[in-house]
Amino acid sequence: MHNVTIHTLNGHGITLAAVIHQPAGFDAGKQYPAIVVAHPGGGVKEQAAGLYAQKLAEQGLLAIAFDASYQGESTGLPRQLENPHVRTEDISAVVDYLTTLPYVNPARIGAMGICAGAGYTANAAINDRRIKAVGTVSAVNIGQMFRNGWENTVKDADALPYIEHGSQARSSDAKGAGLATLPLAPMREEDAPNEELREAWEYYHTPRAQHPNAPGFMTARSLSQIITYDAYNKAEAFLTQPLQIVAGTQAGSKWMSDDLLVRAASSDKHMHLIEGANHMSLYDKQPYVNEAATVLADFFQSRL
């Protein structure tokens, strides 16, 4: 395992911070398949993404977890911007970097993500043919989640106030009033509307998995990009790569994994359900993570 920096060419002058997890017996004179691992919205590479990268490396794959632009140890201003288009580009920027490494086989690059990172990964694969296989864990299409609610109970048009809020936040930011923010997970236990999202508070704000680089909020101006974003846009035509979806049977977010399974054009697409797991269970709880990581490792090893 070692830290690297990636100077992106996405036009924003961002440098990404990443950690490469190498399999046992790593030999720089050989070539390996490599997996890009994207973290959840509000997360950092030291949390779920790093755990999955470690698990994949333990099963013989080279994996790289990274901090999104504007977040964690990566550069960019304003801090905690959650621009879904840039988040998608980040994944391709990491692929750019992998193609320069002599010990990575550029024809054997896959990508996976957790939560919003899974949606961004699907979107990156739609746009980037160098990604040869796709894995998702507790997938969230962040545009759908903000438009339609955690359990898909809100109509698109009823999300218009979010766009208005994001628009007003941009004006407020421009006037120098201090960047307006919005929670990506409950900031206080009492703010959680249900047990599953109470676990999101617990994950990000207690010793369970809290990290100083993951404050749990985003800039409110991000809403003006997020609400109209569809991570699965044109999946029906262009998401043809092999696809392995992993979700918990008790996850309120499972409908977004179901939607990806239906919409992806791939003729090699599969969903693995983990009995009894909710959305957050697949971030760090054993044995759920081991089951998910084994499914994904077997998938990538057989498809790359």
Side-chain angles (χ1 to χ4, degrees):
M1 186 175 84
H2 68 280
N3 297 326
V4 298
T5 56
I6 300 169
H7 303 292
T8 69
L9 298 175
N10 61 16
H12 298 279
I14 303 293
T15 297
L16 300 177
V19 177
I20 296 178
H21 296 256
Q22 299 165 337
F26 174 76
D27 181 350
K30 296 181 179 179
Q31 282 199 324
Y32 294 83
I35 314 301
V36 181
V37 185
H39 63 68
V44 288
K45 63 185 180 303
E46 290 82 6
Q47 295 171 322
L51 178 59
Y52 275 88
Q54 173 192 327
K55 295 290 185 181
L56 293 176
E58 288 172 359
Q59 299 196 50
L61 294 158
L62 186 145
I64 181 167
F66 67 97
D67 286 332
S69 294
Y70 314 105
Q71 300 170 30
E73 294 181 311
S74 294
T75 67
L77 295 173
R79 301 307 295 169
Q80 301 312 128
L81 183 69
E82 184 76 14
N83 183 319
H85 306 286
V86 176
R87 281 279 257 137
T88 296
E89 263 295 308
D90 286 344
I91 294 164
S92 286
V94 178
V95 175
D96 292 345
Y97 173 75
L98 290 175
T99 65
T100 72
L101 300 177
Y103 52 81
V104 169
N105 185 331
R108 301 177 71 194
I109 294 174
M112 65 155 287
I114 307 99
C115 188
Y120 296 137
T121 297
N123 196 236
I126 289 167
N127 295 297
D128 192 335
R129 304 308 299 177
R130 298 171 302 172
I131 298 172
K132 303 300 184 184
V134 179
T136 69
V137 173
S138 293
V140 161
N141 179 341
I142 196 167
Q144 285 182 320
M145 184 190 74
F146 272 94
R147 285 192 303 274
N148 306 126
W150 186 248
E151 296 178 337
N152 195 23
T153 57
V154 181
K155 296 178 181 177
D156 280 2
D158 291 336
L160 182 59
Y162 281 111
I163 300 179
E164 293 175 346
H165 183 72
S167 301
Q168 292 304 314
R170 291 178 67 111
S171 293
S172 176
D173 294 348
K175 294 172 183 175
L179 291 176
T181 62
L182 193 73
L184 273 163
M187 298 297 289
R188 302 179 303 170
E189 185 174 15
E190 56 265 35
D191 295 335
N194 56 47
E195 173 57 25
E196 189 169 33
L197 294 177
R198 189 205 66 80
E199 274 203 57
W201 163 81
E202 180 182 88
Y203 183 84
Y204 286 109
H205 300 295
T206 77
R208 174 174 168 181
Q210 65 185 2
H211 191 278
N213 290 341
F217 59 81
M218 67 177 185
T219 59
R221 68 188 290 116
S222 303
L223 287 171
S224 60
Q225 283 91 34
I226 287 173
I227 299 302
T228 58
Y229 175 77
D230 178 13
Y232 309 156
N233 183 47
K234 298 299 181 182
E236 300 86 349
F238 302 124
L239 185 50
T240 59
Q241 299 96 319
L243 171 65
Q244 178 64 65
I245 298 168
V246 179
T249 59
Q250 303 305 307
S253 60
K254 178 178 171 291
W255 63 277
M256 288 177 276
S257 291
D258 294 335
D259 189 40
L260 177 59
L261 184 66
V262 170
R263 291 174 64 181
S266 176
S267 60
D268 181 7
K269 56 183 178 180
H270 312 273
M271 180 182 286
H272 180 86
L273 296 177
I274 299 185
E275 189 63 39
N278 67 20
H279 181 92
M280 301 303 301
S281 302
L282 299 184
Y283 281 35
D284 65 335
K285 284 191 174 180
Q286 306 296 345
Y288 302 130
V289 170
N290 280 344
E291 182 177 340
T294 297
V295 167
L296 288 163
D298 289 347
F299 166 74
F300 285 125
Q301 286 165 342
S302 65
R303 300 314 195 276
L304 295 176

